[in-house]
Structures are given as C-alpha cells and as structure tokens.
Amino acid sequence: MLKGLFNKLSEKTPFSNKYATDKTINEDIGGKDRAEDNASAQAMASGLLKKFKNGLQKSRKGFINQVDALIFRKRKIDDELLEELEELLVTGDISVSCVTEIFERLKKEIKRNAISDGDALKEALKSIILEMVDIDAPPIPWAPSPYICLMAGVNGVGKTTTIAKLANILKSQGKNPLFVASDTFRAAAIDQLLVWGKRLNIPVIHHQQGADPSAVAYDGIEAAIKRGVDVVFVDTAGRLHTKVNLMEELKKIRRVIKKHIEDAPHETLLVLDATNGQNALNQARQFNEATPISGIILTKLDGTAKGGIVVTIANELKIPIRYIGIGEKMDDLEPFSPKLFVDALFSS
Amino acid sequence: MFENLQKRLDAVFKRLKGYGRLTEENIQDALREVRLALLEADVNYKVVKDFIKRIKERAVGSEVMESLTPGQQVVKIVHDELIELLGRSASPLSLAGRTPVVIMLIGLQGSGKTTTSAKIARFLKKKGRRPYLVPADVARPAAIKQLMALSGQAGVDCYETEAKEPPQEIARKAIMQASLKGLDTVIIDTAGRLHIDEALMGELRAMKETASPQEILFVADAMTGQDAVNIARSFDEAVGITGIVLTKIEGDARGGAALSIRAVTQKPIKFIGVGEKLNDLEVFYPDRLANRILGMGDVLSLIEKATEEIDQKKALELQEKLKKNAFTLEDFRDQLKQIRRMGSLQDILNMIPGFNKLSKKMKGLLPDEKELIHIEAIINSMTPEERTNYKIINASRRRRIAKGSGTSVQDVNKLLKNYTQMQKMFKKIKKGNLKGLPFSIPKGLFG
C-alpha cells in the first residue's frame, strides 16, 4: 500500500540520493539534535514531565528507539525503510487508514519543504502526528459546583479505578468529590466503589444491585446539591457500544441528570483501554453518538501497548484526550499533553 | 466479527472471474485486500505478513480446479490456511485424572477473568461436574465479593477467601477444601496483571507450583490490538498456558487477536465469551470461525444453539401440531419466546450461509426485538379461546386486545395477517413444497 506511494515519490524527489551522499553530515546533525533534545528535556524536567516520561517509557522505549534507529541508521529512504516505518505505525495500533493519511501528508510536506534527509523526515512525521492529537480545548474547569462528571466505557477498561484516581487528584486540590454508584449490573461493582470511597474518605451514593442506574444518578445529584459537594463522579456499568438497550440506558442516565441541572453532565468522559486496537475507534464513535463525549481517558498505557489508536480517534472525532492511566497506584493518572506525548514518542 | 473481511473478499473475488491459472499478477489485488482486511481486523502485522506469504506460495502457479472459479480457488487456499492457523477442531478442557482437577485463569486487568470463571463453573456444572470457584484476586477491591456473588447465581460452591492471605496460600487451602467437600473441579480466578510485571508473573508461577493446574487458561479481550502477540507470548513464556478464552466477542470487534494469539502461542482457543450473562459462554470451533470469516456461515453453531435452547418436548409437540395443522397463536407465542432465547434474530440469521449478504436487504423486513415484545404482548392480551381460534377475533375484540397490550388495532391486524400467512406456509411445507419459504440455502462453496 505505502510502498507504491513511495515508489512514485522517490522517483520524483531526489532525497534518497542526496541523503546517501550527505550521510556523514546528517549523522552529525542527528547527534547534535539529540544532545539538544536532552538538554531541553532536562530544562523542562519538572516532576510532571519526568513522571509522564517514565510512565510512557515502558510502552514507548521500543517505539522511540525504533524510530531513531530507523531514521538515523538507514543510509537511504528505500522500500525496506518505508515498510519498517509502516510496520512501526501499524503495530502501534494507529489505524491503517490513518497511517495512509499520515504518509499522504508526509508526501506533501516532502514536496513543499523539500525534505531531503532523515532528520527533517522525523520532524515532519512528528509534527503531523502532533497536529492530529493536539485538539484545541480548554482544560476541564471542574466548576460550577456541583460539577457533574459522567464516566462511560466498555467492560473492563478501568472506569471505577480511574474515578478513584481522578477524585484523589481533585481532593488533593481541595475539592470535595462525591461518588454515585450507577453500575448496578456487575456483581460487587457497588462494593468496589464503596471500598474506594472508604479509602479516600469520599461519600458514595448507592442503591442495591439491580436498581435502576438512572434512579441512582437522580438521587446522587440531589444529594450532591444538598450536601454542597464540588464534583460528582457518576460511575456507570461497562457496556459494549453495540448493545442498543444499554446505550439507551446511558442516554436515560444523562436525561435524568439533566432534570436536576440542565447543563449537566458538564463532563462526559469515555475511558478507553490502550491495549484495545481498532475497535476503540468504534467505541468512541458509538458512545459519542449516544451521549456526546467531552473527553477521553486512555488507561493501561503502562504495558507494552502503544495506544496509537488515540491518534486515529483524535484525528477523526476531534475529542480531546484528557488523562492517561500509567499504573495501578493512586497517583498513576496524568494529564494528557499532546506536546509531551509526541515529544516522549520521538525523543530518546 | 470479521464482517469486513467477508465483504472485502467478496468484492475482490468477483473481479477474479475468468482466469485459468493464478499468477503473481492476478492475485495481487486479492492478496492486498486480504492483507488490509486482516490488519484492520487487528491481526498482528507480522502474523499477517507470514500468512500472506504462505497464501502466495500456495496460490501462484496453481491451476484453477475445474469445479471452481479463480476467486473460489483463492478462497479455498485462504480457508485452508486459516484452518491451518486456527486448528481443525474444537479442543475440550482436559479434566481427566486425579480429582480435584485445577483450572487457573490468568490475564491482563479487565479481560474478563472473574466473569469467565463463573461462566466456566456454570458450563461444567451443566456437564455434571462439581466445580469449586476460588477467588484469588486479592488486588482489585471487591473482586472476591464479585466472584462470590456470581457463584450464587451459577449455583456452585465458592471458597471463602480471606483477602489478607497470599494467593498461593489461598490456592493451597482451597484445593484441600475441595477434596474435603468432594468437589471435582477447582477454578481459580487470579488478579489481573501486566505481562511485564516480573513480580506478579512470579506470583503466578508460584501459584502454578502449588496448585499444579491441569489447565491454565489465558483470558484475552477480543478487542485487543496489535499488542496481543506480546501479551500472549509473555504470559505463555512466563507461566505456560494450555488454552485461550476470548471474551467480549459479541461486540463489533473483528477479533484479529484470535489469529495473532494462536499464531504466537500455538495453544488452542477453548471458549469464547459472547455476553454478560453466565450462560454466554460457547465452546470455540476453529473450523467454524474459519468458515465464518469467509462468509460460509456458522450453521453448526446455529444448530447446536437451537438444540440446546429449544425445549425438546415442546418442539415435538409443535411438530405434531404442525402435522395436524393446529398451530395456534399460543404456539406462535411459544415459538417467539424460544427464538428470543436463542439471541437476536439478526444474530441467528448471520449464522446462516448466504444470509450475511442478504441481511442488509432483510433488515427492513425483520421484526426487531421491540416488535417481538409487542407481538408477545398482543398474544398475551388475548383470551385462551381467542388464541386457539383466531377466527372469532372480531373488531371489538381487536380493539380490546390493542388496548390491553398497549398497541394499536393496526398492530393486531398485522400480527393476525402474519399468523395466517404462516399457517399457509406450514401447509405448503407439509405438502413438501418448500418453494414458499422466504429464503433458500445456497449450495456450499466446496461441494
């Protein structure tokens, strides 16, 4: 697929030859650039950046090294290199169509800016992916109170754990959160949230298992208003996006929340599992159709999965990615920063 | 799953008509489509590469068999290779040997281990075994409670785990308990863990040492992407798995992970999880999946599902009634109930060969799930007399039935019309004239 495209490309552009002749110079530039990267990274190395990078390191290390190895070691841009580059992006779970788009754009960049060496190619690739994941959105305001945050996602992505992590962050900022246990389906889901409530000292509004999730939400919001809490997290049952009745149930929860506060839920966060492949795009599309998604949280990025589907999702649906989950501990949830994400993706 | 692959292959193979021999040139498009479809289905890049290479080797230069079109020839090769990759037949749980036999479930967080444990317990109980569920996930809050609650629903015994104990100790004590209670199958639910977490993988090895499980099932989410190969390989290398359970397959995941995991571990997929209820577990038939990928339908699964879910006695009664032409509205309602128990109509139709292509056209014609509920409500609102003899249902009765069932008179009319048409159809079947059926099953591709 990409081979054909680049075959044509390399016929028309002289970069492969030029790259071959200029190889020593390019290597020097590459070395210098990396030194600069390190220096600037150190300068920026706030606790956050360090942590972000560390968290991503496990999943990114292979990827980054591969990119650098690819671009700096190869003498010329040939079929083999392009195939490896394609493999790299596809095995990172960026969708085939998105990879095609990335290469289309790269082709234009090469023409426009006369990209003739590997370093420039890397920068171009970087800026294309950055443009795709960098969705222009103001940070979550967590106000007015009570700020209602509805959590949704398919089964097993880590909704409940993420809620606990988020609430923990807000609590440390002096906010006063409340949990609403609207997952009335899964056995012991209420207990799970109760355990977190106890650990974090956060009240939990719940009914019995099997109760109507919207009724729980209704009571939860009512309690939140009465108690004057700042933020409400409504935990919902995991549901596959293809199940019409369950998506209707989600819509109903949303409607019922609106009965108390018209512009609530202020935030509807979709939790996605970074281990998931192309299906995450379907999840994002379907959930967004049922109840407009205002942000995405990408969990389980501490494994070896690369979470590249985020690039595809952000590019297609223009939904900002808000947080990433990078471990099992309470503070293993970090704000998603497109710049850092791509920097971490490409810096060694 | 895999619907896209089916559609794609259909389109490509149509273009392949009229070639006498498969050459590198004329199959290039087909291979390209197969490759893209597999990648989009989340099959791992390297697995796809190997797969395509093998197909190419076999296809290029082969004479097209007289009985086949070139397209069918490629389908046959793809089919053979898929069978080769997925395995030919189902691979049952290995439960022979000294009791209690131990089954251990392992996998990443959120793959569905706890639910699957309970489903397997239920499955084995139906087969006459005496399972013992053991919650050994002491990490996730309330995981123990979850399995205890599920064991209640499944009607099987559950070990009362103390969250303070190390998993290895839990396993040891639970197996002793099982022996004392005379239970023959111990199912251990372990905590979800990352495959790169050395400490926790070590914990699994220790549990394996203690429990000597006969089956170590790796539970994987059908929606897993490219990383499936790394995850499965790591678990297999660290602990040594004996089989795979693929969960959450009822969504629209294309399930390429199944191919990837098979390819790297060479271990059989034993079960698939097809829903949230405890009955939603099916034995995995690799050959059937291969057929389904290529649009040959899954008639065997359908037949099995039908025989399992449909009450045999009622079916016999119905047969008798059909013979006597005494198919009442009450029978009609029972039929609907049984169909609904088998799953959605769309699901059932998708299992029938050739129906996949039709299903788009059929969509408008099929009563949707809601309509089925309405039909049931209408019949429920009739008197027993009306149900046995629909002819007495006059205008005022129709109004009453509509009111009682919360539908309209038109709905009632429509139902009665469908019912009378159905009766006519049964008459035809009785006479051996099957042409009146709404669809006919196409000839199998390979004979």
PDB file of all heavy atoms in Angstrom, chain A residues 148 150 214 217-219 221-222 225 234 250-268 290-292:
ATOM      1  N   ILE A 148     -20.775  17.949  37.376  1.00  0.00           N
ATOM      2  CA  ILE A 148     -21.175  16.546  37.199  1.00  0.00           C
ATOM      3  C   ILE A 148     -20.337  15.899  36.105  1.00  0.00           C
ATOM      4  O   ILE A 148     -20.277  16.380  34.983  1.00  0.00           O
ATOM      5  CB  ILE A 148     -22.668  16.416  36.811  1.00  0.00           C
ATOM      6  CG1 ILE A 148     -23.538  17.336  37.666  1.00  0.00           C
ATOM      7  CG2 ILE A 148     -23.109  14.963  36.883  1.00  0.00           C
ATOM      8  CD1 ILE A 148     -23.542  17.021  39.123  1.00  0.00           C
ATOM      9  N   LEU A 150     -19.788  12.367  34.142  1.00  0.00           N
ATOM     10  CA  LEU A 150     -20.327  11.040  33.834  1.00  0.00           C
ATOM     11  C   LEU A 150     -19.219  10.201  33.199  1.00  0.00           C
ATOM     12  O   LEU A 150     -18.556  10.643  32.261  1.00  0.00           O
ATOM     13  CB  LEU A 150     -21.511  11.192  32.867  1.00  0.00           C
ATOM     14  CG  LEU A 150     -22.267   9.948  32.413  1.00  0.00           C
ATOM     15  CD1 LEU A 150     -22.972   9.281  33.584  1.00  0.00           C
ATOM     16  CD2 LEU A 150     -23.284  10.301  31.327  1.00  0.00           C
ATOM     17  N   SER A 214     -30.412   5.044  36.461  1.00  0.00           N
ATOM     18  CA  SER A 214     -30.767   6.465  36.387  1.00  0.00           C
ATOM     19  C   SER A 214     -31.341   6.955  37.704  1.00  0.00           C
ATOM     20  O   SER A 214     -31.150   8.111  38.081  1.00  0.00           O
ATOM     21  CB  SER A 214     -31.770   6.744  35.276  1.00  0.00           C
ATOM     22  OG  SER A 214     -31.929   5.679  34.432  1.00  0.00           O
ATOM     23  N   ALA A 217     -28.524   7.786  39.821  1.00  0.00           N
ATOM     24  CA  ALA A 217     -27.937   9.052  39.383  1.00  0.00           C
ATOM     25  C   ALA A 217     -28.773  10.229  39.886  1.00  0.00           C
ATOM     26  O   ALA A 217     -28.240  11.221  40.386  1.00  0.00           O
ATOM     27  CB  ALA A 217     -27.832   9.076  37.856  1.00  0.00           C
ATOM     28  N   TYR A 218     -30.093  10.084  39.769  1.00  0.00           N
ATOM     29  CA  TYR A 218     -31.001  11.138  40.208  1.00  0.00           C
ATOM     30  C   TYR A 218     -30.784  11.452  41.688  1.00  0.00           C
ATOM     31  O   TYR A 218     -30.572  12.609  42.078  1.00  0.00           O
ATOM     32  CB  TYR A 218     -32.456  10.696  39.971  1.00  0.00           C
ATOM     33  CG  TYR A 218     -33.478  11.770  40.235  1.00  0.00           C
ATOM     34  CD1 TYR A 218     -33.832  12.675  39.237  1.00  0.00           C
ATOM     35  CD2 TYR A 218     -34.092  11.883  41.493  1.00  0.00           C
ATOM     36  CE1 TYR A 218     -34.765  13.668  39.466  1.00  0.00           C
ATOM     37  CE2 TYR A 218     -35.021  12.875  41.734  1.00  0.00           C
ATOM     38  CZ  TYR A 218     -35.359  13.768  40.725  1.00  0.00           C
ATOM     39  OH  TYR A 218     -36.279  14.747  40.959  1.00  0.00           O
ATOM     40  N   ASP A 219     -30.795  10.382  42.491  1.00  0.00           N
ATOM     41  CA  ASP A 219     -30.581  10.560  43.938  1.00  0.00           C
ATOM     42  C   ASP A 219     -29.200  11.140  44.226  1.00  0.00           C
ATOM     43  O   ASP A 219     -29.034  11.962  45.125  1.00  0.00           O
ATOM     44  CB  ASP A 219     -30.715   9.214  44.663  1.00  0.00           C
ATOM     45  CG  ASP A 219     -32.160   8.772  44.724  1.00  0.00           C
ATOM     46  OD1 ASP A 219     -33.031   9.548  44.252  1.00  0.00           O
ATOM     47  OD2 ASP A 219     -32.425   7.661  45.220  1.00  0.00           O
ATOM     48  N   ILE A 221     -27.321  13.127  42.351  1.00  0.00           N
ATOM     49  CA  ILE A 221     -27.212  14.555  42.047  1.00  0.00           C
ATOM     50  C   ILE A 221     -27.958  15.367  43.123  1.00  0.00           C
ATOM     51  O   ILE A 221     -27.480  16.407  43.584  1.00  0.00           O
ATOM     52  CB  ILE A 221     -27.784  14.884  40.643  1.00  0.00           C
ATOM     53  CG1 ILE A 221     -27.206  13.969  39.571  1.00  0.00           C
ATOM     54  CG2 ILE A 221     -27.555  16.357  40.298  1.00  0.00           C
ATOM     55  CD1 ILE A 221     -25.721  14.023  39.385  1.00  0.00           C
ATOM     56  N   GLU A 222     -29.116  14.832  43.526  1.00  0.00           N
ATOM     57  CA  GLU A 222     -29.899  15.500  44.560  1.00  0.00           C
ATOM     58  C   GLU A 222     -29.076  15.640  45.843  1.00  0.00           C
ATOM     59  O   GLU A 222     -28.969  16.712  46.433  1.00  0.00           O
ATOM     60  CB  GLU A 222     -31.173  14.700  44.835  1.00  0.00           C
ATOM     61  CG  GLU A 222     -32.208  15.455  45.625  1.00  0.00           C
ATOM     62  CD  GLU A 222     -33.508  14.673  45.678  1.00  0.00           C
ATOM     63  OE1 GLU A 222     -33.515  13.583  46.300  1.00  0.00           O
ATOM     64  OE2 GLU A 222     -34.493  15.122  45.073  1.00  0.00           O
ATOM     65  N   ILE A 225     -26.320  18.234  45.515  1.00  0.00           N
ATOM     66  CA  ILE A 225     -26.789  19.622  45.660  1.00  0.00           C
ATOM     67  C   ILE A 225     -27.009  19.947  47.130  1.00  0.00           C
ATOM     68  O   ILE A 225     -26.579  20.980  47.633  1.00  0.00           O
ATOM     69  CB  ILE A 225     -28.078  19.838  44.834  1.00  0.00           C
ATOM     70  CG1 ILE A 225     -27.767  19.682  43.332  1.00  0.00           C
ATOM     71  CG2 ILE A 225     -28.679  21.208  45.103  1.00  0.00           C
ATOM     72  CD1 ILE A 225     -28.979  19.609  42.448  1.00  0.00           C
ATOM     73  N   VAL A 234     -20.204  10.046  38.332  1.00  0.00           N
ATOM     74  CA  VAL A 234     -21.219   9.016  38.156  1.00  0.00           C
ATOM     75  C   VAL A 234     -20.571   7.824  37.464  1.00  0.00           C
ATOM     76  O   VAL A 234     -20.202   7.891  36.295  1.00  0.00           O
ATOM     77  CB  VAL A 234     -22.415   9.553  37.334  1.00  0.00           C
ATOM     78  CG1 VAL A 234     -23.489   8.476  37.208  1.00  0.00           C
ATOM     79  CG2 VAL A 234     -22.986  10.815  37.977  1.00  0.00           C
ATOM     80  N   LEU A 250     -27.806   4.480  28.974  1.00  0.00           N
ATOM     81  CA  LEU A 250     -26.842   5.552  29.215  1.00  0.00           C
ATOM     82  C   LEU A 250     -27.470   6.919  28.895  1.00  0.00           C
ATOM     83  O   LEU A 250     -27.305   7.892  29.632  1.00  0.00           O
ATOM     84  CB  LEU A 250     -25.596   5.318  28.361  1.00  0.00           C
ATOM     85  CG  LEU A 250     -24.381   6.195  28.670  1.00  0.00           C
ATOM     86  CD1 LEU A 250     -23.875   5.924  30.071  1.00  0.00           C
ATOM     87  CD2 LEU A 250     -23.269   5.950  27.661  1.00  0.00           C
ATOM     88  N   LYS A 251     -28.207   6.949  27.770  1.00  0.00           N
ATOM     89  CA  LYS A 251     -28.896   8.191  27.397  1.00  0.00           C
ATOM     90  C   LYS A 251     -29.860   8.609  28.504  1.00  0.00           C
ATOM     91  O   LYS A 251     -30.011   9.790  28.800  1.00  0.00           O
ATOM     92  CB  LYS A 251     -29.689   7.992  26.102  1.00  0.00           C
ATOM     93  CG  LYS A 251     -28.853   7.928  24.848  1.00  0.00           C
ATOM     94  CD  LYS A 251     -29.779   7.856  23.633  1.00  0.00           C
ATOM     95  CE  LYS A 251     -29.052   7.295  22.431  1.00  0.00           C
ATOM     96  NZ  LYS A 251     -29.978   6.960  21.339  1.00  0.00           N
ATOM     97  N   LYS A 252     -30.523   7.600  29.081  1.00  0.00           N
ATOM     98  CA  LYS A 252     -31.507   7.892  30.122  1.00  0.00           C
ATOM     99  C   LYS A 252     -30.817   8.469  31.357  1.00  0.00           C
ATOM    100  O   LYS A 252     -31.316   9.422  31.960  1.00  0.00           O
ATOM    101  CB  LYS A 252     -32.288   6.625  30.485  1.00  0.00           C
ATOM    102  CG  LYS A 252     -33.455   6.903  31.412  1.00  0.00           C
ATOM    103  CD  LYS A 252     -34.222   5.631  31.730  1.00  0.00           C
ATOM    104  CE  LYS A 252     -35.173   5.852  32.887  1.00  0.00           C
ATOM    105  NZ  LYS A 252     -35.695   4.585  33.409  1.00  0.00           N
ATOM    106  N   ILE A 253     -29.683   7.907  31.712  1.00  0.00           N
ATOM    107  CA  ILE A 253     -28.941   8.432  32.874  1.00  0.00           C
ATOM    108  C   ILE A 253     -28.654   9.915  32.641  1.00  0.00           C
ATOM    109  O   ILE A 253     -28.842  10.759  33.511  1.00  0.00           O
ATOM    110  CB  ILE A 253     -27.622   7.641  33.081  1.00  0.00           C
ATOM    111  CG1 ILE A 253     -27.929   6.187  33.461  1.00  0.00           C
ATOM    112  CG2 ILE A 253     -26.760   8.308  34.160  1.00  0.00           C
ATOM    113  CD1 ILE A 253     -26.704   5.301  33.587  1.00  0.00           C
ATOM    114  N   ARG A 254     -28.227  10.208  31.415  1.00  0.00           N
ATOM    115  CA  ARG A 254     -27.918  11.588  31.055  1.00  0.00           C
ATOM    116  C   ARG A 254     -29.154  12.497  31.180  1.00  0.00           C
ATOM    117  O   ARG A 254     -29.095  13.583  31.750  1.00  0.00           O
ATOM    118  CB  ARG A 254     -27.395  11.590  29.614  1.00  0.00           C
ATOM    119  CG  ARG A 254     -26.813  12.874  29.151  1.00  0.00           C
ATOM    120  CD  ARG A 254     -26.376  12.714  27.705  1.00  0.00           C
ATOM    121  NE  ARG A 254     -26.552  13.965  26.992  1.00  0.00           N
ATOM    122  CZ  ARG A 254     -25.684  14.958  27.040  1.00  0.00           C
ATOM    123  NH1 ARG A 254     -24.586  14.830  27.723  1.00  0.00           N
ATOM    124  NH2 ARG A 254     -25.911  16.072  26.387  1.00  0.00           N
ATOM    125  N   ARG A 255     -30.279  11.988  30.655  1.00  0.00           N
ATOM    126  CA  ARG A 255     -31.516  12.771  30.716  1.00  0.00           C
ATOM    127  C   ARG A 255     -31.920  13.045  32.156  1.00  0.00           C
ATOM    128  O   ARG A 255     -32.332  14.143  32.513  1.00  0.00           O
ATOM    129  CB  ARG A 255     -32.664  12.005  30.022  1.00  0.00           C
ATOM    130  CG  ARG A 255     -32.671  12.104  28.523  1.00  0.00           C
ATOM    131  CD  ARG A 255     -34.044  11.712  27.974  1.00  0.00           C
ATOM    132  NE  ARG A 255     -34.527  10.415  28.418  1.00  0.00           N
ATOM    133  CZ  ARG A 255     -34.264   9.271  27.798  1.00  0.00           C
ATOM    134  NH1 ARG A 255     -33.499   9.260  26.714  1.00  0.00           N
ATOM    135  NH2 ARG A 255     -34.749   8.127  28.244  1.00  0.00           N
ATOM    136  N   VAL A 256     -31.804  12.008  32.969  1.00  0.00           N
ATOM    137  CA  VAL A 256     -32.232  12.133  34.357  1.00  0.00           C
ATOM    138  C   VAL A 256     -31.346  13.130  35.113  1.00  0.00           C
ATOM    139  O   VAL A 256     -31.835  13.923  35.924  1.00  0.00           O
ATOM    140  CB  VAL A 256     -32.242  10.747  35.035  1.00  0.00           C
ATOM    141  CG1 VAL A 256     -32.328  10.866  36.537  1.00  0.00           C
ATOM    142  CG2 VAL A 256     -33.398   9.924  34.503  1.00  0.00           C
ATOM    143  N   ILE A 257     -30.058  13.116  34.808  1.00  0.00           N
ATOM    144  CA  ILE A 257     -29.146  14.069  35.445  1.00  0.00           C
ATOM    145  C   ILE A 257     -29.589  15.500  35.111  1.00  0.00           C
ATOM    146  O   ILE A 257     -29.578  16.399  35.946  1.00  0.00           O
ATOM    147  CB  ILE A 257     -27.691  13.818  34.979  1.00  0.00           C
ATOM    148  CG1 ILE A 257     -27.157  12.510  35.574  1.00  0.00           C
ATOM    149  CG2 ILE A 257     -26.783  14.982  35.372  1.00  0.00           C
ATOM    150  CD1 ILE A 257     -25.795  12.095  35.069  1.00  0.00           C
ATOM    151  N   LYS A 258     -30.041  15.667  33.879  1.00  0.00           N
ATOM    152  CA  LYS A 258     -30.466  16.992  33.410  1.00  0.00           C
ATOM    153  C   LYS A 258     -31.699  17.517  34.156  1.00  0.00           C
ATOM    154  O   LYS A 258     -31.982  18.709  34.137  1.00  0.00           O
ATOM    155  CB  LYS A 258     -30.759  16.965  31.911  1.00  0.00           C
ATOM    156  CG  LYS A 258     -29.499  17.024  31.060  1.00  0.00           C
ATOM    157  CD  LYS A 258     -29.841  17.195  29.602  1.00  0.00           C
ATOM    158  CE  LYS A 258     -28.601  17.204  28.744  1.00  0.00           C
ATOM    159  NZ  LYS A 258     -27.631  18.242  29.146  1.00  0.00           N
ATOM    160  N   LYS A 259     -32.441  16.604  34.754  1.00  0.00           N
ATOM    161  CA  LYS A 259     -33.634  17.040  35.486  1.00  0.00           C
ATOM    162  C   LYS A 259     -33.257  17.922  36.661  1.00  0.00           C
ATOM    163  O   LYS A 259     -33.999  18.806  37.056  1.00  0.00           O
ATOM    164  CB  LYS A 259     -34.436  15.827  35.964  1.00  0.00           C
ATOM    165  CG  LYS A 259     -35.171  15.195  34.812  1.00  0.00           C
ATOM    166  CD  LYS A 259     -36.203  14.199  35.263  1.00  0.00           C
ATOM    167  CE  LYS A 259     -36.942  13.692  34.029  1.00  0.00           C
ATOM    168  NZ  LYS A 259     -37.675  12.469  34.310  1.00  0.00           N
ATOM    169  N   HIS A 260     -32.089  17.637  37.240  1.00  0.00           N
ATOM    170  CA  HIS A 260     -31.626  18.454  38.364  1.00  0.00           C
ATOM    171  C   HIS A 260     -30.866  19.683  37.879  1.00  0.00           C
ATOM    172  O   HIS A 260     -31.094  20.784  38.336  1.00  0.00           O
ATOM    173  CB  HIS A 260     -30.685  17.637  39.263  1.00  0.00           C
ATOM    174  CG  HIS A 260     -31.414  16.770  40.226  1.00  0.00           C
ATOM    175  ND1 HIS A 260     -32.320  17.275  41.133  1.00  0.00           N
ATOM    176  CD2 HIS A 260     -31.382  15.435  40.434  1.00  0.00           C
ATOM    177  CE1 HIS A 260     -32.801  16.275  41.851  1.00  0.00           C
ATOM    178  NE2 HIS A 260     -32.258  15.157  41.445  1.00  0.00           N
ATOM    179  N   ILE A 261     -29.937  19.449  36.963  1.00  0.00           N
ATOM    180  CA  ILE A 261     -29.076  20.533  36.488  1.00  0.00           C
ATOM    181  C   ILE A 261     -29.088  20.488  34.969  1.00  0.00           C
ATOM    182  O   ILE A 261     -28.638  19.509  34.367  1.00  0.00           O
ATOM    183  CB  ILE A 261     -27.626  20.362  37.011  1.00  0.00           C
ATOM    184  CG1 ILE A 261     -27.633  20.314  38.546  1.00  0.00           C
ATOM    185  CG2 ILE A 261     -26.733  21.477  36.497  1.00  0.00           C
ATOM    186  CD1 ILE A 261     -26.321  19.894  39.144  1.00  0.00           C
ATOM    187  N   GLU A 262     -29.596  21.556  34.376  1.00  0.00           N
ATOM    188  CA  GLU A 262     -29.874  21.477  32.951  1.00  0.00           C
ATOM    189  C   GLU A 262     -28.625  21.282  32.098  1.00  0.00           C
ATOM    190  O   GLU A 262     -28.654  20.527  31.137  1.00  0.00           O
ATOM    191  CB  GLU A 262     -30.653  22.717  32.508  1.00  0.00           C
ATOM    192  CG  GLU A 262     -31.677  22.361  31.454  1.00  0.00           C
ATOM    193  CD  GLU A 262     -32.214  23.591  30.781  1.00  0.00           C
ATOM    194  OE1 GLU A 262     -32.630  24.515  31.496  1.00  0.00           O
ATOM    195  OE2 GLU A 262     -32.190  23.634  29.541  1.00  0.00           O
ATOM    196  N   ASP A 263     -27.554  21.980  32.418  1.00  0.00           N
ATOM    197  CA  ASP A 263     -26.379  21.815  31.551  1.00  0.00           C
ATOM    198  C   ASP A 263     -25.413  20.717  32.026  1.00  0.00           C
ATOM    199  O   ASP A 263     -24.286  20.632  31.559  1.00  0.00           O
ATOM    200  CB  ASP A 263     -25.639  23.141  31.337  1.00  0.00           C
ATOM    201  CG  ASP A 263     -25.440  23.891  32.640  1.00  0.00           C
ATOM    202  OD1 ASP A 263     -25.924  23.380  33.675  1.00  0.00           O
ATOM    203  OD2 ASP A 263     -24.819  24.958  32.637  1.00  0.00           O
ATOM    204  N   ALA A 264     -25.909  19.854  32.905  1.00  0.00           N
ATOM    205  CA  ALA A 264     -25.120  18.687  33.316  1.00  0.00           C
ATOM    206  C   ALA A 264     -25.463  17.518  32.381  1.00  0.00           C
ATOM    207  O   ALA A 264     -26.519  17.542  31.755  1.00  0.00           O
ATOM    208  CB  ALA A 264     -25.439  18.334  34.766  1.00  0.00           C
ATOM    209  N   PRO A 265     -24.687  16.481  32.293  1.00  0.00           N
ATOM    210  CA  PRO A 265     -23.352  16.392  32.869  1.00  0.00           C
ATOM    211  C   PRO A 265     -22.389  17.388  32.203  1.00  0.00           C
ATOM    212  O   PRO A 265     -22.388  17.518  30.995  1.00  0.00           O
ATOM    213  CB  PRO A 265     -22.937  14.947  32.584  1.00  0.00           C
ATOM    214  CG  PRO A 265     -23.777  14.508  31.440  1.00  0.00           C
ATOM    215  CD  PRO A 265     -25.050  15.269  31.539  1.00  0.00           C
ATOM    216  N   HIS A 266     -21.614  18.058  33.020  1.00  0.00           N
ATOM    217  CA  HIS A 266     -20.690  19.040  32.482  1.00  0.00           C
ATOM    218  C   HIS A 266     -19.558  18.367  31.732  1.00  0.00           C
ATOM    219  O   HIS A 266     -18.942  18.934  30.852  1.00  0.00           O
ATOM    220  CB  HIS A 266     -20.108  19.886  33.622  1.00  0.00           C
ATOM    221  CG  HIS A 266     -21.167  20.510  34.471  1.00  0.00           C
ATOM    222  ND1 HIS A 266     -21.675  19.901  35.589  1.00  0.00           N
ATOM    223  CD2 HIS A 266     -21.846  21.680  34.337  1.00  0.00           C
ATOM    224  CE1 HIS A 266     -22.611  20.678  36.130  1.00  0.00           C
ATOM    225  NE2 HIS A 266     -22.734  21.760  35.383  1.00  0.00           N
ATOM    226  N   GLU A 267     -19.308  17.138  32.135  1.00  0.00           N
ATOM    227  CA  GLU A 267     -18.196  16.394  31.534  1.00  0.00           C
ATOM    228  C   GLU A 267     -18.664  14.960  31.326  1.00  0.00           C
ATOM    229  O   GLU A 267     -19.212  14.350  32.241  1.00  0.00           O
ATOM    230  CB  GLU A 267     -17.016  16.438  32.513  1.00  0.00           C
ATOM    231  CG  GLU A 267     -15.648  16.351  31.905  1.00  0.00           C
ATOM    232  CD  GLU A 267     -15.310  17.525  30.999  1.00  0.00           C
ATOM    233  OE1 GLU A 267     -15.376  18.695  31.453  1.00  0.00           O
ATOM    234  OE2 GLU A 267     -14.994  17.269  29.838  1.00  0.00           O
ATOM    235  N   THR A 268     -18.503  14.438  30.123  1.00  0.00           N
ATOM    236  CA  THR A 268     -18.764  13.020  29.898  1.00  0.00           C
ATOM    237  C   THR A 268     -17.470  12.411  29.397  1.00  0.00           C
ATOM    238  O   THR A 268     -17.024  12.695  28.294  1.00  0.00           O
ATOM    239  CB  THR A 268     -19.894  12.804  28.872  1.00  0.00           C
ATOM    240  OG1 THR A 268     -21.049  13.506  29.316  1.00  0.00           O
ATOM    241  CG2 THR A 268     -20.214  11.336  28.718  1.00  0.00           C
ATOM    242  N   ALA A 290     -24.282   8.275  21.282  1.00  0.00           N
ATOM    243  CA  ALA A 290     -25.304   8.091  22.317  1.00  0.00           C
ATOM    244  C   ALA A 290     -25.313   9.279  23.289  1.00  0.00           C
ATOM    245  O   ALA A 290     -26.366   9.789  23.644  1.00  0.00           O
ATOM    246  CB  ALA A 290     -25.069   6.791  23.069  1.00  0.00           C
ATOM    247  N   THR A 291     -24.150   9.681  23.725  1.00  0.00           N
ATOM    248  CA  THR A 291     -24.056  10.793  24.651  1.00  0.00           C
ATOM    249  C   THR A 291     -22.760  11.536  24.342  1.00  0.00           C
ATOM    250  O   THR A 291     -21.689  10.943  24.406  1.00  0.00           O
ATOM    251  CB  THR A 291     -24.118  10.318  26.128  1.00  0.00           C
ATOM    252  OG1 THR A 291     -23.571  11.341  26.931  1.00  0.00           O
ATOM    253  CG2 THR A 291     -23.370   9.039  26.372  1.00  0.00           C
ATOM    254  N   PRO A 292     -22.855  12.790  23.915  1.00  0.00           N
ATOM    255  CA  PRO A 292     -21.664  13.499  23.447  1.00  0.00           C
ATOM    256  C   PRO A 292     -20.500  13.400  24.433  1.00  0.00           C
ATOM    257  O   PRO A 292     -20.635  13.755  25.602  1.00  0.00           O
ATOM    258  CB  PRO A 292     -22.149  14.949  23.334  1.00  0.00           C
ATOM    259  CG  PRO A 292     -23.620  14.855  23.181  1.00  0.00           C
ATOM    260  CD  PRO A 292     -24.052  13.626  23.925  1.00  0.00           C
TER     261      PRO A 292
END
